[in-house]
Amino acid sequence: MKRLAMNGDQAVALSWKQIDPDVVSSYPITPQTIIVETFAEYVANGEVGTEYICSESEHSSMSMCIGASAAGARSATATASAGLAYMWEMLYIAASMRLPVVMTVANRALSGPINIHCDHSDAMGARDSGWIQIYAENVQEAYDNSIMSFRIAEDMGVRLPVMNCLDGFIVTHAIESMEPLDDDAVKKFVGDFKPIHPLLDVKSPHSFGPFDMPEYYFEHKYAQQKAMENALDVVRKVSDEYAQISGRKYDLLECYRCEDAEYVALSIGSTAGTMKQVVDDLRAEGHKVGSIKLRLFRPFPFQDVAKVLDGRKGVAVLDRALSFGAAGPLFADVCSAMFGNSSSSPAFNYIYGLGGRDVGVEDLKKVYFDMEDGTAKAVNYLGVKL
Amino acid sequence: MPVRLTEGHRLCAGCAEPIVAKQVLLATDKPVVVANATGCFEVSTSGFPQSAWEVPWIHTAFATTAATISGVESAYVSLKRKGKISEDIRFVAFGGDGATYDIGLQALSGAIERGHRFMYVCLNNEAYMNTGIQRSGATQRGASTTTCPSGTCIPGKKEIPKDLTKIIAAHKLPYAAQASPHNWKDLIAKAAKGFEANGPSFLNIITPCPRGWRYDGANTIEMAKLAVETGMWPLYEYENGKWTLTGETKRIAEGKMERRPLADWLKAQGRFKHLLAPEWKDVVDDIQNNLDASWDELLRLTKL
Amino acid sequence: MSTAEDVIVEPGTARKYHTGSWRSKKPVVDKEKCINCLFCWMFCPDNSIIVEGGEMKGIKYTHCKGCGICSRQCPKDAITMVEEGEE
């Protein structure tokens, strides 16, 4: 397939066109809107068979995906920031009903103050909702993750909704060169949707979303947790299969020049791309540094994370979100992974880029310099004007 | 006709909700899929692992019933177009007045505007009964609830309820109606029209609640009848732009039957008992004035 | 997956829950007076009026909550409410 130039939102829309979901619900919100606009054009031109519904809110948009998925339809939507926050209640319900809804999240700061630019406070806030979360570094990954998301969500050992996260504007709006798969390859890879006891099977009636008392609620939550645990292997399996058709091999996390690195920094999303340049620059100057890109945030790959961080002189965790009164949500999980696996690498948290604050190569070098000269604090605020 | 909502549900003795649901579901012999808002009706018919439903049923949340059924219906349209299902299915959503007048109104308005083919049934008992009788946008002026109790200074709810059926009719949907379970022929006929409407339809049904209204549960059907005969709950239809009175409301308007006095309605229920004190006569007068004005407005609409 | 998600696989299972134990008053039918209009069936909130071949055959006491609607709505006063245990 020839390479194309497009932005992250268009790439996601293209993946949907190739998958041709049964139902897509939409509601506009920057920086996701290009996805539902582009897809609406496919619908208008008869390029997909999807029933495309324009909802009156994100809360309803997610409710429609839940209804459609329970009815037996492959369902997708997209949102960002306040839209994701508005869906909050319904996120948990989609996961609890074990519905494989796929949602692209164009990561954007939450209000207030209102801000349209990138940070991860929206998706990080939804981390406990029972959704699988995959983060893309660039346009190619946004496309590839979108396709893999359907397979992961619909796996019979998982059956959980998936958030395909890409950085607002940085990935959603930046035009990059990317290589899509052939339509047939995508259709074959994703396969037919196999609903479990769908509502539209009227001969076999089921009750979805019943009232759950203390006798059963805990077991249902435990079952969700088990499905999340299963998802670790399923993500690996789906990534392996995807590599066979695309030539692009993904893992739960990816290390860059980490083999002999004394100091490493872990990040997610587009910053992980910038970090590669930082590492190259510093390596050229003789620093023994490496970087790690975490692709899968939920379920959190504790073992894999602990393993790559063990034995380092310093570990920096870059969070583009902040849990007020604590620190970065990614940092908390990384520390938990290391502590649980008896890894004693010193760990430092860097909060950066909130509300789209630009973070460049020079800014990020400071993370390594701090660790090397012993000035890194437990929690650091990179680039904040004090 | 097979039973679609079974016994063994945990609604209060004398609750009107399962009576209304039975009558609505009797109105079609097509397969139905039901969506249900959070509330008494959902909680009491679905305690895991037991369900009182013999038809496919889904509950998601409080505000989302119309959106959920929109999603189900969209899946149906999509899968039917793709040849994956063949049955002719009907879609119905049940929500209480809290779910319909208040928290779910935006979702309902959106679903109707989008034109999904489904029927929304409001089980209107004029307050949030599941949480213990709190006022809603449907609660009548003067009614005492736990969030607008009748006290020494304030005699129950200060505001008149919103006229939701007319708000829904303003969407210019194919069919909307008000009904009451005491007149089951009228209710079933309206539900049948709603099921067969070529687009969204809406039924607002007075659904007496013995606990919330404070009357003996044996009188549930009597209470629904009284609501209609006093003019507090007129029976009418809005069908493709035309307003028509039905049942007792029509007979009253035609002079074939007396409209019963408002006092009969107020005296019958504990929630209005305080209004009988002379000091609140102005409140009763206000209710009467609103009743008369609404009645006149409805008659005007039906003559247009 | 059966009970792993909050989905009830088997329909109509609420029948296993016998709400008849809630009852303090019990409806008793006098079939001599009954004209099989089935108003009791139409207005029973608990599917507890037994109808066979268009005839009212009695009351399903396993589920009847004793609300008294059937008695109040019977046009022939064929259903009487009696204290539970005193019939």
Side-chain angles (χ1 to χ4, degrees):
Chain A
M1 189 82 184
K2 67 172 186 184
R3 296 189 73 84
L4 299 173
M6 65 175 72
N7 66 37
D9 278 353
Q10 290 168 327
V12 170
L14 173 63
S15 75
W16 287 5
K17 177 187 156 196
Q18 295 176 311
I19 291 161
D20 195 4
D22 300 312
V23 173
V24 164
S25 68
S26 83
Y27 191 82
I29 184 167
T30 305
Q32 164 285 119
T33 313
I34 299 168
I35 299 175
V36 295
E37 286 174 341
T38 309
F39 195 75
E41 285 184 32
Y42 297 140
V43 175
N45 294 322
E47 294 177 82
V48 288
T50 305
E51 184 66 12
Y52 179 78
I53 343 169
C54 295
S55 65
E56 84 296 336
S57 74
E58 289 93 349
H59 195 270
S60 285
S61 199
M62 181 45 59
S63 303
M64 289 196 273
C65 280
I66 292 169
S69 186
R74 180 177 275 150
S75 311
T77 188
T79 194
S81 181
L84 183 65
Y86 195 29
M87 286 179 184
W88 224 255
E89 176 187 26
M90 306 317 294
L91 296 177
Y92 286 75
I93 292 167
S96 164
M97 285 190 188
R98 309 290 299 278
L99 298 173
V101 175
V102 173
M103 173 162 64
T104 293
V105 175
N107 293 115
R108 164 183 154 183
L110 286 173
S111 298
I114 189 168
N115 171 298
I116 57 168
H117 291 281
C118 177
D119 73 29
H120 297 150
S121 56
D122 50 4
M124 285 292 158
R127 67 168 188 190
D128 297 335
S129 61
W131 284 60
I132 291 167
Q133 289 191 6
I134 306 172
Y135 287 78
E137 177 191 322
N138 51 38
V139 172
Q140 183 70 60
E141 280 194 37
Y143 170 84
D144 293 336
N145 290 352
S146 176
I147 294 168
M148 287 190 283
S149 293
F150 287 87
R151 276 286 303 279
I152 295 160
E154 294 168 16
D155 187 282
M156 286 300 172
V158 177
R159 299 306 277 202
L160 287 172
V162 175
M163 273 182 215
N164 171 33
C165 303
L166 50 151
D167 284 352
F169 290 104
I170 302 165
V171 178
T172 59
H173 284 58
I175 295 172
E176 296 176 9
S177 165
M178 58 82 71
E179 186 184 337
L181 299 175
D182 290 332
D183 293 355
D184 289 346
V186 174
K187 283 211 167 51
K188 194 170 162 227
F189 179 77
V190 174
D192 287 334
F193 184 64
K194 296 182 189 68
I196 298 176
H197 41 61
L199 285 169
L200 293 177
D201 180 3
V202 289
K203 292 188 179 70
S204 173
H206 291 85
S207 297
F208 274 75
F211 186 56
D212 217 17
M213 289 296 275
E215 291 89 337
Y216 294 98
Y217 183 89
F218 199 172
E219 283 66 32
H220 287 142
K221 297 296 107 180
Y222 182 74
Q224 271 180 252
Q225 175 72 341
K226 287 285 136 189
M228 269 288 186
E229 289 171 11
N230 294 343
L232 286 172
D233 280 341
V234 171
V235 173
R236 279 196 194 92
K237 184 189 80 181
V238 170
S239 300
D240 287 347
E241 285 181 41
Y242 194 74
Q244 287 169 21
I245 62 162
S246 67
R248 292 184 290 274
K249 174 75 181 82
Y250 296 109
D251 206 339
L252 309 187
L253 52 80
E254 290 167 13
C255 296
Y256 187 73
R257 304 184 77 170
C258 284
E259 298 76 27
D260 61 341
E262 293 172 344
Y263 297 95
V264 295
L266 182 146
S267 61
I268 61 175
S270 61
T271 303
T274 317
M275 288 304 286
K276 290 173 191 165
Q277 184 64 50
V278 173
V279 167
D280 286 347
D281 287 359
L282 293 178
R283 283 270 178 183
E285 294 168 15
H287 299 269
K288 292 175 86 173
V289 296
S291 70
I292 297 154
K293 172 172 76 178
L294 185 69
R295 285 176 37 80
L296 186 69
F297 177 65
R298 281 291 178 274
F300 195 83
F302 287 98
Q303 303 286 342
D304 302 55
V305 168
K307 198 173 154 198
V308 299
L309 299 182
D310 193 33
R312 310 290 180 181
K313 284 188 180 170
V315 171
V317 180
L318 275 62
D319 264 293
R320 201 160 195 159
L322 177 55
S323 174
F324 303 104
L330 189 53
F331 182 61
D333 286 341
V334 169
C335 289
S336 169
M338 292 200 296
F339 186 79
N341 289 278
S342 306
S343 170
S344 55
S345 304
F348 309 97
N349 195 191
Y350 280 81
I351 310 294
Y352 76 100
L354 300 188
R357 171 64 51 81
D358 195 26
V359 182
V361 170
E362 294 307 314
D363 305 301
L364 291 165
K365 283 180 183 171
K366 185 177 173 344
V367 171
Y368 293 101
F369 296 153
D370 284 356
M371 289 195 286
E372 285 174 346
D373 64 22
T375 57
K377 291 180 279 189
V379 183
N380 308 269
Y381 301 88
L382 192 67
V384 69
K385 289 175 281 197
L386 297 171
Chain B
M1 173 67 84
V3 168
R4 287 170 157 171
L5 174 65
T6 71
E7 58 277 21
H9 60 71
R10 297 161 193 222
L11 290 155
C12 299
C15 175
E17 289 186 342
I19 306 172
V20 170
K22 169 157 76 179
Q23 294 178 6
V24 167
L25 294 170
L26 278 170
T28 182
D29 53 8
K30 300 256 165 56
V32 294
V33 176
V34 174
N36 208 157
T38 307
C40 294
F41 197 48
E42 165 265 329
V43 164
S44 302
T45 60
S46 77
F48 191 92
Q50 292 173 349
S51 173
W53 292 95
E54 291 273 23
V55 292
W57 178 91
I58 182 167
H59 157 254
T60 58
F62 203 174
T64 52
T65 317
T68 303
I69 203 77
S70 296
V72 175
E73 191 262 359
S74 298
Y76 171 72
V77 170
S78 179
L79 297 179
K80 205 156 191 187
R81 189 164 59 219
K82 293 179 177 183
K84 292 182 179 172
I85 47 170
S86 54
E87 286 100 340
D88 193 14
I89 303 173
R90 294 292 176 268
F91 301 93
V92 58
F94 290 104
D97 50 287
T100 311
Y101 282 63
D102 291 354
I103 197 169
L105 181 55
Q106 173 183 306
L108 175 58
S109 175
I112 293 172
E113 185 270 336
R114 288 189 299 271
H116 299 279
R117 188 175 177 182
F118 76 109
M119 178 161 69
Y120 191 102
V121 178
C122 178
L123 303 170
N124 183 0
N125 53 28
E126 301 186 340
Y128 291 83
M129 299 311 185
N130 193 40
T131 39
I133 317 160
Q134 292 79 35
R135 63 94 80 190
S136 77
T139 303
Q140 289 188 24
R141 167 96 163 99
S144 178
T145 74
T146 58
T147 48
C148 59
S150 64
T152 50
C153 301
I154 304 172
K157 196 188 173 203
K158 290 194 256 185
E159 306 81 12
I160 57 165
K162 62 177 97 164
D163 194 341
L164 185 70
T165 313
K166 294 209 183 73
I167 294 171
I168 298 299
H171 291 71
K172 305 200 186 301
L173 74 176
Y175 188 77
Q178 289 199 169
S180 161
H182 85 279
N183 193 336
W184 54 270
K185 282 184 190 166
D186 182 71
L187 190 154
I188 293 173
K190 286 170 176 168
K193 283 187 184 182
F195 274 124
E196 294 312 310
N198 189 23
S201 60
F202 176 78
L203 295 187
N204 200 346
I205 303 181
I206 193 77
T207 308
C209 170
R211 291 283 301 115
W213 294 11
R214 286 180 270 149
Y215 66 86
D216 175 359
N219 291 331
T220 283
I221 297 300
E222 289 302 302
M223 213 55 66
K225 191 172 177 222
L226 193 55
V228 173
E229 292 182 350
T230 54
M232 292 303 286
W233 192 256
L235 303 180
Y236 64 88
E237 295 178 304
Y238 169 85
E239 195 172 8
N240 297 317
K242 190 170 162 25
W243 302 81
T244 314
L245 301 178
T246 69
E248 291 86 344
T249 308
K250 183 170 182 238
R251 290 208 289 282
I252 294 167
E254 289 171 347
K256 294 174 185 166
M257 192 178 154
E258 283 287 305
R259 196 173 88 187
R260 288 175 68 177
L262 172 65
D264 289 3
W265 174 246
L266 300 177
K267 279 182 203 159
Q269 299 162 54
R271 63 175 172 156
F272 296 122
K273 203 173 87 186
H274 56 285
L275 296 180
L276 304 175
E279 74 220 73
W280 301 127
K281 186 183 174 298
D282 59 327
V283 177
V284 175
D285 289 346
D286 193 34
I287 297 170
Q288 183 72 59
N289 290 339
N290 281 318
L291 169 60
D292 294 342
S294 299
W295 183 265
D296 291 345
E297 189 204 349
L298 187 60
L299 293 191
R300 265 200 314 279
L301 284 171
T302 57
K303 282 171 190 153
L304 287 176
Chain C
M1 295 286 287
S2 57
T3 56
E5 69 265 65
D6 57 345
V7 175
I8 298 171
V9 175
E10 210 183 322
T13 38
R15 288 191 181 94
K16 292 176 191 167
Y17 184 69
H18 288 180
T19 49
S21 63
W22 295 13
R23 201 171 50 237
S24 61
K25 283 187 178 164
K26 181 175 183 172
V28 177
V29 195
D30 179 352
K31 279 304 290 180
E32 295 287 308
K33 292 183 184 171
C34 174
I35 56 168
N36 295 310
C37 67
L38 304 187
F39 282 11
C40 53
W41 175 84
M42 180 57 82
F43 295 126
C44 175
D46 293 287
N47 275 342
S48 295
I49 304 296
I50 303 164
V51 177
E52 285 168 17
E55 277 188 36
M56 193 276 192
K57 292 286 189 187
I59 286 150
K60 198 184 291 173
Y61 291 114
T62 47
H63 291 86
C64 165
K65 293 170 186 160
C67 68
I69 292 177
C70 55
S71 171
R72 194 62 50 90
Q73 291 302 315
C74 179
K76 295 291 172 187
D77 292 328
I79 303 175
T80 316
M81 299 304 289
V82 301
E83 291 296 323
E84 190 66 35
E86 284 184 9
E87 71 275 23

